[in-house]
Amino acid sequence: MSSSDEPDAVRPGWENFAERPVPEVHGATTAPEAELAGVLQRRHEELAAARGASASAATRVHATLFELAMLIGTLEQQVNRTGELREAVDAELRHRELKNVKDRMLDVLRGAGVEVRDPKGLTADEVLDWADPVHWLQSPEFDAEVVAETNEYAVFHDGAVVRFAQVVMGAPAPAPAPKPEPEPEAPPEPDPQVKREPDAETPPGPTPAPTDT
């Protein structure tokens, strides 16, 4: 039997179907050239933003260096004044002037996210990740492994170490090795040529009686 002979009740009509939204297919309505142009444009914008951030950071670094250069010049001036023999100049005043310049320089560095740290007195575990020992010093004055001297300070930027400290580590002196006990001396061997005298405390034995023959 052909399909034309089927009754109308069996045949589906439009009323048997429901409308559904057509799913969006990525790229179906966008030409490949336009999609590639959009990717290149976004990449260009990202690179431009990165270049702008790098240029801004470089500008801040330059400004910090210029300010530090000015302060170093002031520090040199103060050091030269300290070397001059002037009775009217108070040593405590010179110290305050030098300390003021030093504090201003550290403030400039901290403003740029740079921190200088002195590890002296810290234990070996505390400076394990930001100090390099260049020498070890053993002495009874040390109870544990600690930084005895700082040759160069450590430098941090935004909390991360960028320059390791150069330090001299102190360690306890090794315990002295116990001295061996002296072996007891053996008594001297008796001389066979020397006749041994009888013991004075031993009484002589009885004289044997004569026997009859």
Side-chain angles (χ1 to χ4, degrees):
M1 181 182 294
S2 64
S3 59
S4 59
D5 297 333
E6 295 179 0
D8 294 338
V10 182
R11 297 176 182 176
W14 289 110
E15 66 277 2
N16 299 112
F17 296 92
E19 288 190 26
R20 290 185 303 173
V22 178
E24 295 183 0
V25 180
H26 181 69
T29 58
T30 304
E33 296 82 0
E35 182 69 19
L36 180 59
V39 172
L40 293 177
Q41 179 64 27
R42 289 192 296 272
R43 180 59 177 168
H44 178 73
E45 293 174 355
E46 292 174 357
L47 291 176
R51 291 193 188 100
S54 299
S56 178
T59 301
R60 291 194 301 269
V61 170
H62 290 163
T64 301
L65 291 176
F66 297 154
E67 191 167 358
L68 283 177
M70 180 273 297
L71 291 173
I72 291 173
T74 304
L75 180 61
E76 182 182 15
Q77 185 182 42
Q78 298 294 341
V79 170
N80 292 336
R81 290 179 180 176
T82 304
E84 298 176 359
L85 297 177
R86 294 183 181 178
E87 297 181 359
V89 176
D90 187 6
E92 185 177 355
L93 175 61
R94 288 299 187 205
H95 179 268
R96 287 200 303 268
E97 291 176 347
L98 293 174
K99 185 178 182 300
N100 180 53
V101 177
K102 182 264 299 181
D103 292 340
R104 290 172 61 190
M105 295 176 71
L106 292 179
D107 289 340
V108 170
L109 291 175
R110 279 190 287 266
V114 179
E115 181 186 1
V116 180
R117 296 185 189 177
D118 181 6
K120 185 176 181 180
L122 299 180
T123 63
D125 292 337
E126 292 175 306
V127 300
L128 180 64
D129 297 331
W130 54 280
D132 284 334
V134 296
H135 185 66
W136 283 86
L137 178 64
Q138 292 183 333
S139 174
E141 64 178 300
F142 301 113
D143 297 331
E145 295 181 354
V146 298
V147 178
E149 299 177 10
T150 301
N151 293 347
E152 295 181 4
Y153 286 9
V155 180
F156 288 75
H157 182 247
D158 291 339
V161 59
V162 294
R163 184 178 179 84
F164 277 59
Q166 305 295 315
V167 300
V168 176
M169 297 295 299
K179 295 182 179 180
E181 297 182 359
E183 298 181 359
E185 297 182 359
E189 296 289 338
D191 192 350
Q193 296 181 357
V194 178
K195 185 177 180 180
R196 182 178 180 183
E197 297 180 357
D199 193 350
E201 296 181 359
T202 304
T207 302
T211 58
D212 297 335
T213 56

